Structures are given as structure tokens and as C-alpha cells.
Amino acid sequence: MSSDSQISPSFSLETDTHMHTIASTHAYSTILELATYAKKAGLGVIAITDHGPALPDAPHEWHFSNLHILPPVIHGVRVLHGVEANIMDYAGNLDLCKSIQKDLDWVIASYHEPCCKPGTVEELTTSYLHLAENEEVDVIGHSGRGRYVYDYDRVLPVFKKKNKLVEINSNTLSKGKGSKEHCHKIVGLCKKYAVPVVVNSDAHSCFDVGNTKAALHLLAEEGYPQEWIVNRTAQSLADWILKKKGRNILEEPVSR
Ligand SMILES: [Zn+2]
Ligand SMILES: [Zn+2]
């Protein structure tokens, strides 16, 4: 690994692929506000990823099937249509039908307590191995939350093999119950097994868009190479999506 690949304190990302609009009622900004602040933060691409319908604060599934009416570029920022779907059980099932998952640009799958209580390491390992088989899922959301511990050594190489990106979520690092320690373990093993990651803010207001400092600091501490961060540039993110879905997100849109 060359010294160029080390994450320096001045390194920043060009994209942020996990954030919530007011469609998730414990978030506080509109799409327009998120795009405006993304532009100010120097981001070229963002993904709007409101919670899947099973979470109490979430929009109806029509929110996700109607996202196509929005302009692809808002205030000069490419806005991807996504979801943070809920994993509902220990079999890796999600709360959004497959046809809607397929139509979205970006599908994150995450555990949240109101939808599925934390299980045993074995239950969660089995669940994530099933989830890895779902072709529509792009990202494994904030799996470093300390309450949902799985067998990292067993599952992370499978995520790589099945083309799932492991999210290092900056917001999670401020949550309790050993999240930081688990995120360190996950990043260390992603480095060991060369598993690609995405680094996101999980912003619940426009003021946090692009705020990934804590996650990048953790990656730097573990010596994780910046080249393996799939959303480091708009182009690297677009390349990954093109390879997986056969669509170029940077060429499709008509600017408005
Ligand atoms: Zn979440
Ligand atoms: Zn979220």
C-alpha cells in the first residue's frame, strides 16, 4: 500500500449517500435544503435515503415509488433516490417490496430496534448471510451499532463476494453501547479482507450533510486505504453503480 493511499486529515469525500428528509418525521430538512447544504459542503452527489415504511416515523411506500418525479440534479447536486430499508427479522427480509427496491438508485438495509429486536450473534450472522443474497441491496447500513453484533470474520468476506458495501456511519460513532469499538473492529477486518466501504453522515438535518469527520478519523486510525472507499469521489461512486446496475448516474440526468 502506498503512502498516498493513507487517509490524511485534509481528505474529504465528494459524496454522501445516507441522509433523511422531513419524510422521516424525526428528521428536519427538505430535499431542497439538503441539496443546498450539500453544494455548500462541496458535494457532487447525495442520496436521499428515508426510512422504510415499517419504522414509526417513516413515509408510506408510495414515497419511494414516486421519487422519479424529482429532478435528477438539484442546485447542481446529483440527487440519488434511495431508501434505508428495515431488516425485519433474522432471515434478512426487508420492509419494501422487491419491485420498488429494484427501481431505486441506492438501497441501504439496516437494523432498527422498533422493527427487530437485537438477536444473538448466531441469529444476526445468519440474517446478514441471507441479506447478502438480496441482489437489490447495495449497502449494509451502520452494522457497527453495538447491539447488533454478528460474526464479522464470517460475514464481511461474504459481503465483499456478494457486492455489498459496508457502511461506516459517522452518526453511529456518537451512539453508545460500544459502537466505536465495534466500528473499529469492522474497519480493521474490512482492511484485512479488502472489503470496500462507503462513508456517510446519516444526516437528519441539512447542517450535518457531509459531516463524516468522525468516520474518516476512525478509518485513518485503522490505516484503511482511501482507494477502497467507494463514495470518495462522484466518479468512483458512479463507476461502482455502473458496474453493478449498468447505468451511469453522471450521464443520465438533465440538469435543471
Ligand atoms: Zn438507521
Ligand atoms: Zn439513517
Side-chain angles (χ1 to χ4, degrees):
M1 195 187 304
S2 74
S3 58
D4 288 355
S5 72
Q6 300 296 329
I7 296 168
S8 70
S10 62
F11 175 74
S12 63
L13 304 170
E14 291 179 12
T15 82
D16 186 353
T17 63
H18 183 161
M19 65 189 67
H20 298 273
T21 75
I22 49 172
S24 302
T25 57
H26 78 293
Y28 305 99
S29 299
T30 63
I31 291 178
L32 198 56
E33 289 161 346
L34 293 171
T36 303
Y37 275 73
K39 185 75 181 170
K40 274 192 202 175
L43 303 177
V45 181
I46 59 172
I48 301 300
T49 53
D50 282 302
H51 290 129
L55 210 59
D57 83 321
H60 190 274
E61 71 173 12
W62 294 348
H63 166 90
F64 303 99
S65 57
N66 203 36
L67 283 166
H68 63 87
I69 67 159
L70 293 168
V73 177
I74 301 174
H75 285 195
V77 176
R78 176 74 168 99
V79 179
L80 301 180
H81 302 156
V83 62
E84 184 183 14
N86 294 290
I87 311 170
M88 299 302 292
D89 50 28
Y90 306 127
N93 290 307
L94 303 183
D95 63 339
L96 198 64
C97 68
K98 272 276 176 83
S99 62
I100 298 179
Q101 292 176 38
K102 203 178 179 67
D103 282 346
L104 293 170
D105 298 317
W106 196 242
V107 176
I108 302 174
S110 305
Y111 270 114
H112 296 113
E113 287 201 35
C115 294
C116 185
K117 297 283 170 229
T120 64
V121 169
E122 197 49 43
E123 283 170 331
L124 293 164
T125 298
T126 304
S127 182
Y128 276 126
L129 291 174
H130 280 295
L131 183 67
E133 299 296 328
N134 181 341
E135 284 184 10
E136 311 311 332
V137 171
D138 302 307
V139 177
I140 308 303
H142 55 60
S143 73
R145 285 194 179 172
R147 294 187 64 110
Y148 291 88
V149 179
Y150 55 101
D151 185 339
Y152 304 135
D153 274 291
R154 207 170 140 204
V155 175
L156 292 171
V158 177
F159 285 157
K160 177 184 170 151
K161 191 172 162 208
K162 297 291 180 180
N163 215 11
K164 306 293 167 234
L165 301 170
V166 174
E167 181 189 58
I168 309 305
N169 179 307
S170 237
N171 190 25
T172 286
L173 291 170
S174 61
K175 304 245 188 307
K177 308 222 179 335
S179 292
K180 201 168 179 182
E181 175 198 331
H182 285 280
C183 289
H184 266 290
K185 275 188 200 163
I186 288 170
V187 171
L189 290 169
C190 283
K191 181 184 172 192
K192 177 179 173 185
Y193 298 118
V195 183
V197 304
V198 283
V199 178
N200 291 322
S201 70
D202 197 358
H204 285 60
S205 88
C206 58
F207 307 107
D208 274 329
V209 173
N211 180 6
T212 51
K213 264 207 162 99
L216 288 174
H217 182 70
L218 189 147
L219 263 73
E221 284 182 334
E222 289 293 335
Y224 187 90
Q226 66 183 44
E227 289 85 352
W228 297 351
I229 303 173
V230 164
N231 66 324
R232 68 191 179 281
T233 65
Q235 192 62 56
S236 61
L237 178 65
D239 289 346
W240 189 88
I241 292 175
L242 178 64
K243 199 170 168 199
K244 178 170 180 187
K245 307 180 190 228
R247 301 176 28 221
N248 188 338
I249 59 160
L250 298 180
E251 282 183 2
E252 287 166 343
V254 177
S255 196
R256 300 189 191 190

